[in-house]
Structures are given as structure tokens and as C-alpha cells.
């Protein structure tokens, strides 16, 4: 290679590097300004995925949180400690308490807004009460390991959790450690105290940064809404109420559609968030099947009915919390009990409303239109594909329990029937009092007037 060729190649290389430099270094910025939970974890997963796809050189987390669920904080921590191909920056924009402190320690660089604070990471329950030592021991180890992984002072990290750790220059003995921005910078935990995140770039020699802001989509907002405990409670009411009305009115269809829609809206967001698992959905479905069998096939109310109620209850409650099968150490203390309270409360409220309004709903003109009862009366000229004989006052025998719907046999032929007495056991003699659409309405023969 002669000197002229080398000279030309050198110029081209310089031009190429100048062009690359002119584009600036890419930074992917994501805000986490909520309690650390399934929404925050979903946002971080999506942000990390996008940062990798964009081949970003830095991931900047704009953090402002008072804490949250340990399992989701640990998931975010682990994802930041992985080799993702970019450097991570946490900008503590006012608060990084508890779970927020753990996430901050997992970043390559910590910057703190003037007046911000970081620390106070003891594990507490839903009421803010300090939990037993086994929880604190695990959290101390987690904080210590995270600090060591990033070359930070493990004793300081442990003091965020344990008031017994003595650091006279920073806190009184017996008190948890919480650092101001100036204190964090002084001990080398944070890199710099700043007034806005734009000051981060020159401090890290990031010239002409190309910043991409993470966008929260309408799907994210919808999922966040659907996993709200209040909304989950209403969806459970829709599931239970839909199943009840479906069983009360055989062949109705509409109530079953409502139950299925509510079930999908309840389970799908929780499944996407990594809370609901296949086995939890399966035991819920199995519970519903057992209840149906108990009502229509198995006489009385026994093992199948009780097992069905337990499985439905557990399937709904377990789906709302993080767990490894029956190991619930991953979830925030108190959340499992809260989920059971929500499910049981929704069920009780549904039963109360069904007792008060159930009959009126079934008999309302609007409901009858939805199930086509008003459009298919024989008096208006509608007939089934196979005409039924006149069965009024005919005597038959119940082949299944009527609660109130079920099957009866008249002259060796089985028919759909609804008990006007609400409940008739299997093997009872009944007579047909009226006939509407595809159903016979019956009473016990013993109650027939002479």
C-alpha cells in the first residue's frame, strides 16, 4: 500500500469518525414515578427491550418512588445488573425510598436532584409495620450484594435496612439510614447533585446526546386500569353474577358471554404482568366445572360443591399476587390476604345483589329481549323445529336436581324444565304448570291443588 492510498484511507477514517460523532451518543430515557409494582416492572421490561433494539449506549431511569413490592423491585434490580449492552443511569428525581433505593444501587451511575433523598429500605407490611427479622435479613443481603456488584459501600447499603448498623458520621445508632443528595455525593454513593437530568450528559462526557423518551401506550394504561384492585373486584362480580344467571336460566347464553368477557378482562392483564399462571387459571376453570356438576348432575350439595368454591376462590386470589406455586415469599407481605379479601368481598356483594335484584333482572323486559324470550312465543306464531306435544298438567319425574333448571322425564322423553319451587330433588314426581319457549315450568306433584 503506497503513501497516497494510506493518506486517502486516513482521511476517510477521520471523516467517518466525525460523522459518527456528529450523531451523538444514544440515550434511552424511561420515567418510573409510581410505586414499584407490576406496572413499573412492565415499563422497565419494555424500556430495556427498546433500548436494546435501538442499540442505545445508555439507559436513563428518571426515578421518583416511595417504594413498593420487593419481588418487582428485585426483578428490576436483576435486569439492570445483567449485561444489556448499555450503561445504566438512575436520576433520583426527589425520592428513592425502600425499593427505589435497591433499584438505584443496581445502576452504574446515580445522580440526585437537589433536595432528593435515598434510603429507608426496611421491609414493611401494608400498614407500614416492620416485618420480622427473616424479611430484614433477606433485604440486607440483597442490598449488600447489589452494592458490591457495583463497587459501592456495602455497609451503607445495609444501613438502609438495619438500624443496628453504626455509621456515626451519617446517622444516629438505632435509626435507619436515609441520605440527602449532598450526603450521597460526599460518600461516593451518588456521582453528582444536579438540578435537572440535562446536567448528567456533560458530566459523563456524553456530547450531543440523542435522547429517546419511552412512550407509555394505551395498552399499558388499559392494563394498569384492569389490574387495579377495585376494577378486579367488579370483574369478579361480573364473573360470579354471569355464571349465576346462566345457571338460573338454561340456554340463555348472554349471561355466559358476560362471565367470559369479565373472566378474560380479569385474567389476561394479570397473565401479561406475570402474576396469573396457567395452573391458577386452570384451577379456577376446574372449580366452575365442579360447581356446574354439583348443581346439575350430583344430588345434594357435598364434596364437589365445596371443592368447586375453594378452587374458584383460590384461582382468583392466587392470580392477583406473585408466587411460585404455593410459595408466596416472592410477594409483598399482606398482599395475599388482601387478594382473598377482595375476592370474598366481591363474591358476598354479588350474592347480596343477586338476592335483592336477581329475580327482577331475569323478569325485566330488557333482559328478556337480550335472551329472545319475547320474540319466540308460540302465541305469536313462533315454533321450534320439532313441535312439542301439549304437556300442560302432564306428570313426570325429575332426572336431575332442579335448582331451578334441570331435566325431567315425561312418557320416556327427557325435557328441559325449570322448578317454580326453586329447588326440587332428583327422583321427585312433578307436574307441568306452564310451557314457555323450550322450557317446561313444573311444581312438585304433592303441591298440586285438587
Amino acid at each position: 500500500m503506497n503513501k497516497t492510498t494510506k493518506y486517502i484511507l486516513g482521511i476517510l477514517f477521520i471523516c467517518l469518525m466525525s460523522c459518527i460523532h456528529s450523531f451523538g451518543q444514544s440515550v434511552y430515557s424511561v420515567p418510573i414515578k409510581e410505586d414499584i409494582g407490576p406496572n413499573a416492572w412492565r415499563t422497565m421490561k419494555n424500556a430495556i427491550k427498546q433500548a436494546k433494539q435501538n442499540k442505545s449506549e445508555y439507559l436513563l431511569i428518571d426515578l421518583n418512588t416511595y417504594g413498593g413490592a420487593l419481588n418487582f423491585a428485585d426483578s428490576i434490580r436483576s435486569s439492570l445488573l445483567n449485561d444489556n449492552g448499555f450503561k445504566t443511569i438512575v436520576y433520583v428525581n426527589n425520592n428513592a425510598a425502600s425499593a427505589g433505593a435497591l433499584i438505584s444501587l443496581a445502576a452504574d451511575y446515580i445522580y440526585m436532584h437537589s433536595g432528593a433523598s435515598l434510603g429507608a429500605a426496611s421491609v414493611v407490611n401494608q400498614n407500614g409495620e416492620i416485618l420480622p427479622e427473616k424479611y430484614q435479613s433477606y433485604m440486607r443481603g440483597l442490598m449488600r450484594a447489589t452494592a458490591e456488584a457495583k463497587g459501592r459501600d456495602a455497609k451503607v447499603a445495609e444501613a438502609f435496612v438495619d438500624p443496628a448498623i453504626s455509621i456515626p458520621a451519617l446517622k444516629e445508632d438505632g435509626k435507619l439510614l436515609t441520605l440527602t443528595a449532598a450526603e450521597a455525593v460526599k460518600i461516593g454513593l451518588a456521582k453528582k447533585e444536579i438540578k435537572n437530568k440535562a446536567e448528567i450528559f456533560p458530566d459523563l462526557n456524553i456530547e450531543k446526546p440523542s435522547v429517546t423518551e419511552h412512550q407509555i401506550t394505551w395498552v399499558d394504561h388499559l392494563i394498569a386500569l384492569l389490574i387495579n384492585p377495585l376494577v378486579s373486584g367488579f370483574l369478579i362480580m361480573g364473573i360470579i353474577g354471569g355464571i349465576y344467571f346462566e345457571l338460573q336460566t338454561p340456554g340463555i347464553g348472554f349471561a355466559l358471554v358476560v362471565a367470559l368477557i369479565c373472566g378474560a378482562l380479569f385474567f389476561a392483564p394479570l397473565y401479561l404482568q406475570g402474576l396469573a399462571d396457567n395452573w391458577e387459571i386452570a384451577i379456577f376453570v376446574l372449580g366452575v366445572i365442579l360447581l356446574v356438576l354439583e348443581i346439575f348432575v350430583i344430588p345434594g350439595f357435598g364434596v364437589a360443591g365445596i371443592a368447586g368454591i375453594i378452587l374458584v376462590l383460590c384461582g382468583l386470589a392466587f392470580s392477583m399476587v406473585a408466587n411460585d406455586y404455593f410459595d408466596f415469599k416472592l410477594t409483598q407481605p399482606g398482599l395475599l390476604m388482601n387478594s382473598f379479601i377482595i375476592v370474598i368481598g366481591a363474591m358476598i356483594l354479588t350474592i347480596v345483589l343477586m338476592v335483592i335484584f336477581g329475580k327482577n333482572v331475569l323478569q325485566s323486559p330488557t333482559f328478556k329481549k337480550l335472551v329472545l324470550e319475547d320474540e319466540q312465543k308460540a302465541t305469536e306464531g313462533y315454533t321450534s323445529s320439532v313441535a312439542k306435544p301439549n304437556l300442560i298438567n302432564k306428570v313426570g319425574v325429575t332426572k336431575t336436581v332442579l335448582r331451578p333448571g334441570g331435566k325431567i322425564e315425561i312418557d320416556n322423553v327427557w325435557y328441559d324444565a325449570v322448578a317454580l319451587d326453586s329447588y326440587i330433588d332428583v327422583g321427585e314426581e312433578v307436574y307441568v304448570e306452564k310451557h314457555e319457549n323450550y322450557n317446561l315450568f313444573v311444581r312438585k306433584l304433592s303441591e298440586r291443588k285438587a
Side-chain angles (χ1 to χ4, degrees):
M1 184 181 294
N2 57 39
K3 292 183 178 180
T4 303
T5 304
K6 288 182 180 179
Y7 179 74
I8 294 172
L9 290 175
I11 293 175
L12 289 174
F13 178 77
I14 293 171
C15 291
L16 178 62
M17 294 303 296
S18 298
C19 289
I20 293 173
H21 185 72
S22 67
F23 284 111
Q25 293 172 283
S26 58
V27 179
Y28 195 88
S29 178
V30 55
I32 300 293
K33 299 185 177 182
E34 59 185 306
D35 286 348
I36 305 302
N39 287 330
W41 171 224
R42 176 181 172 81
T43 298
M44 277 303 306
K45 282 192 295 184
N46 291 339
I48 290 172
K49 180 180 178 181
Q50 288 297 321
K52 287 180 178 179
Q53 290 179 354
N54 295 352
K55 297 183 179 179
S56 300
E57 296 170 74
Y58 294 90
L59 175 67
L60 171 60
I61 304 169
D62 191 342
L63 183 66
N64 184 16
T65 182
Y66 289 106
L70 177 58
N71 57 308
F72 292 108
D74 185 34
S75 296
I76 295 175
R77 174 200 85 104
S78 299
S79 66
L80 295 181
L81 291 177
N82 290 337
D83 183 9
N84 295 302
F86 48 70
K87 293 289 186 180
T88 53
I89 307 167
V90 164
Y91 170 41
V92 180
N93 192 356
N94 291 329
N95 299 292
S98 192
L102 178 62
I103 293 170
S104 299
L105 290 176
D108 294 310
Y109 307 104
I110 300 174
Y111 286 85
M112 297 182 67
H113 186 80
S114 297
S117 60
L118 184 153
S122 287
V123 185
V124 298
N125 62 17
Q126 294 288 293
N127 298 321
E129 300 166 341
I130 300 294
L131 288 172
E133 169 60 20
K134 67 175 183 177
Y135 294 99
Q136 311 308 327
S137 176
Y138 178 77
M139 188 63 171
R140 284 198 301 270
L142 201 60
M143 297 289 282
R144 188 170 59 248
T146 307
E148 290 173 351
K150 291 298 180 181
R152 297 190 171 99
D153 191 333
K155 186 177 181 181
V156 170
E158 199 170 356
F160 289 147
V161 182
D162 190 351
I165 301 296
S166 179
I167 308 180
L170 295 175
K171 73 177 187 71
E172 297 178 25
D173 288 348
K175 301 289 185 181
L176 286 178
L177 176 61
T178 299
L179 298 174
T180 66
E183 290 170 339
V185 171
K186 183 178 180 180
I187 66 172
L189 187 74
K191 198 167 187 303
K192 189 175 181 181
E193 180 179 354
I194 58 178
K195 294 181 179 180
N196 56 67
K197 66 181 181 181
E199 296 182 18
I200 295 173
F201 306 132
D203 190 66
L204 291 176
N205 296 317
I206 303 175
E207 298 181 10
K208 299 179 181 179
S210 174
V211 181
T212 302
E213 296 288 345
H214 182 74
Q215 299 299 316
I216 305 296
T217 67
W218 68 269
V219 175
D220 297 320
H221 288 298
L222 179 61
I223 290 175
L225 174 66
L226 291 175
I227 65 174
N228 182 286
L230 180 61
V231 176
S232 294
F234 281 115
L235 291 174
I236 292 170
M237 291 177 64
I239 295 170
I240 303 302
I243 293 173
Y244 169 81
F245 285 121
E246 179 67 23
L247 297 178
Q248 286 285 65
T249 315
I252 173 179
F254 174 74
L256 179 61
V257 171
V258 172
L260 290 174
I261 291 174
C262 289
L265 292 176
F266 176 82
F267 284 110
L270 295 172
Y271 188 84
L272 292 174
Q273 295 287 54
L275 293 174
D277 207 346
N278 294 327
W279 72 273
E280 293 164 335
I281 300 173
I283 65 171
F284 168 78
V285 174
L286 178 59
V288 173
I289 292 172
L290 288 175
L291 286 173
V292 172
L293 291 175
E294 182 72 30
I295 292 171
F296 291 111
V297 179
I298 305 172
F301 191 83
V303 175
I306 295 171
I309 292 173
I310 293 173
L311 289 177
V312 167
L313 181 65
C314 291
L316 292 170
F318 291 170
S319 295
M320 298 174 69
V321 297
N323 56 292
D324 183 9
Y325 289 95
F326 294 102
D327 182 359
F328 294 93
K329 290 185 294 186
L330 294 172
T331 193
Q332 186 176 358
L335 283 185
L336 179 60
M337 181 60 67
N338 284 354
S339 68
F340 271 105
I341 291 172
I342 291 170
V343 174
I344 294 172
M347 286 182 171
I348 293 174
L349 182 57
T350 304
I351 292 170
V352 170
L353 292 176
M354 288 189 300
V355 170
I356 297 174
F357 301 109
K359 186 174 181 181
N360 293 332
V361 171
L362 288 172
Q363 299 300 324
S364 67
T366 303
F367 194 83
K368 288 182 177 181
K369 287 180 181 179
L370 288 172
V371 299
L372 301 178
E373 288 186 356
D374 290 341
E375 282 75 22
Q376 296 183 343
K377 290 183 179 179
T379 56
E380 297 178 3
Y382 289 93
T383 61
S384 63
S385 57
V386 178
K388 282 188 175 69
N390 182 11
L391 299 174
I392 302 298
N393 293 321
K394 282 277 190 177
V395 176
V397 178
T398 57
K399 305 305 289 185
T400 67
V401 176
L402 304 187
R403 293 182 179 171
K407 299 285 187 180
I408 67 170
E409 181 182 13
I410 299 175
D411 297 335
N412 298 318
V413 179
W414 284 36
Y415 297 96
D416 291 321
V418 177
L420 293 171
D421 302 302
S422 296
Y423 176 90
I424 302 177
D425 205 349
V426 64
E428 294 273 357
E429 285 192 315
V430 295
Y431 74 96
V432 180
E433 185 169 301
K434 60 179 179 177
H435 176 192
E436 290 183 5
N437 299 329
Y438 300 102
N439 291 321
L440 304 179
F441 289 80
V442 301
R443 291 189 190 277
K444 290 182 181 180
L445 185 61
S446 59
E447 297 180 7
R448 186 174 185 175
K449 296 180 181 179

